Amino acid sequence: MRLPPAIVPHIEEVLREVLRFTGPADVTLSRYFREHPRLGGRERGVIAESTYAFLRNKSVLTNFAESGAGPLMRRIALLALAEIVDVDDIAGLSIEEAQWLTHTRQIDRLQLPLVMRANLPQWLFDKLSERIGQDETMALADAMNQQAPLDLRVNSIKSDRDTVVAGLAEAPIACTLTPYSPLGLRIVKKPALQNLPLFKNGAIEVQDEGSQLLAQIVGAKRGEMPGTLRWEYLAAR
């Protein structure tokens, strides 16, 4: 399904506010969504993911935005949007905009300067490179600039991982098992979960794998009960 042309002005407005750096991006997004209650779940997701995609690739996309035609903020918004959807999925583009976006998507980013690819200030890139070397600096930057995964925790009182995986597949929502948490699932994409029966009945909740492991460790150290059971007890109350 193609995105409506109106989505681009919304991304422009959010990025304009975010780039003032007056507060965290998630707070800015939450405020914007409160001010625009008629935005649907899909539109909110696209706006949020485009915003975060721009921040993860700010150096590269700002450089790309120097080319092209039209208002600068529109170019920035289009580049951010093209990070998460295909160019053909963006309605309302002029022929020139579509060609420009397609061209920027074909640029080999591995050929760009390291500091630009790292999306780090020059001074920080230099200090990290001096301390841990350029290869480790790039590995760290690549890890920080990856899109955060969507992890779920299975409530073992109400269900189990195999049952939840089967239930998600019916949605259909693809997922994989988290490598360390015995109750975790990692969603391949970021679908809307709030209307799923599994979510409504408390069989799953959104919780990153690190927090799941930390909860188990803290609960076990306190000796109250094993960490997993302790959290399941609290969730069931």
Side-chain angles (χ1 to χ4, degrees), residues 121-140:
Q122 184 72 56
W123 67 268
L124 181 56
F125 181 84
D126 292 341
K127 282 188 174 295
L128 287 172
S129 297
E130 181 181 349
R131 174 166 293 190
I132 62 177
Q134 280 193 351
D135 289 344
E136 288 298 320
T137 297
M138 290 306 299
L140 175 63

Side-chain angles (χ1 to χ4, degrees), residues 72-120:
L72 176 60
M73 282 309 301
R74 178 172 172 82
R75 280 178 273 155
I76 288 175
L78 290 175
L79 287 167
L81 183 55
E83 288 288 297
I84 65 167
V85 301
D86 294 333
V87 174
D88 291 341
D89 291 332
I90 308 173
L93 296 179
S94 67
I95 295 175
E96 292 77 12
E97 286 175 331
Q99 291 175 340
W100 171 67
L101 279 178
T102 300
H103 171 71
T104 61
R105 296 300 298 162
Q106 294 172 344
I107 294 174
D108 184 0
R109 298 190 184 185
L110 292 178
Q111 302 303 314
L112 297 174
L114 291 181
V115 68
M116 185 182 298
R117 284 168 45 200
N119 199 40
L120 294 172

Side-chain angles (χ1 to χ4, degrees), residues 17-172:
E17 182 63 30
V18 166
L19 289 175
R20 292 191 178 100
F21 297 107
T22 56
D26 60 338
V27 173
T28 299
L29 280 164
S30 295
R31 182 173 63 249
Y32 189 83
F33 293 151
R34 286 196 303 271
E35 294 171 351
H36 297 79
R38 301 184 73 173
L39 284 170
R42 181 169 182 253
E43 287 80 8
R44 291 172 182 237
V46 169
I47 293 168
E49 291 304 320
S50 297
T51 300
Y52 294 131
F54 176 79
L55 293 176
R56 289 194 301 270
N57 300 278
K58 180 175 178 291
S59 295
V60 172
L61 298 186
T62 300
N63 180 270
F64 288 173
E66 294 177 2
S67 63
L72 176 60
M73 282 309 301
R74 178 172 172 82
R75 280 178 273 155
I76 288 175
L78 290 175
L79 287 167
L81 183 55
E83 288 288 297
I84 65 167
V85 301
D86 294 333
V87 174
D88 291 341
D89 291 332
I90 308 173
L93 296 179
S94 67
I95 295 175
E96 292 77 12
E97 286 175 331
Q99 291 175 340
W100 171 67
L101 279 178
T102 300
H103 171 71
T104 61
R105 296 300 298 162
Q106 294 172 344
I107 294 174
D108 184 0
R109 298 190 184 185
L110 292 178
Q111 302 303 314
L112 297 174
L114 291 181
V115 68
M116 185 182 298
R117 284 168 45 200
N119 199 40
L120 294 172
Q122 184 72 56
W123 67 268
L124 181 56
F125 181 84
D126 292 341
K127 282 188 174 295
L128 287 172
S129 297
E130 181 181 349
R131 174 166 293 190
I132 62 177
Q134 280 193 351
D135 289 344
E136 288 298 320
T137 297
M138 290 306 299
L140 175 63
D142 288 342
M144 291 191 299
N145 291 332
Q146 291 295 316
Q147 183 179 17
L150 175 59
D151 291 348
L152 305 178
R153 183 182 64 83
V154 177
N155 184 339
S156 60
I157 289 178
K158 296 189 175 183
S159 190
D160 58 74
R161 280 211 297 194
D162 290 341
T163 301
V164 169
V165 169
L168 290 173
E170 293 176 0

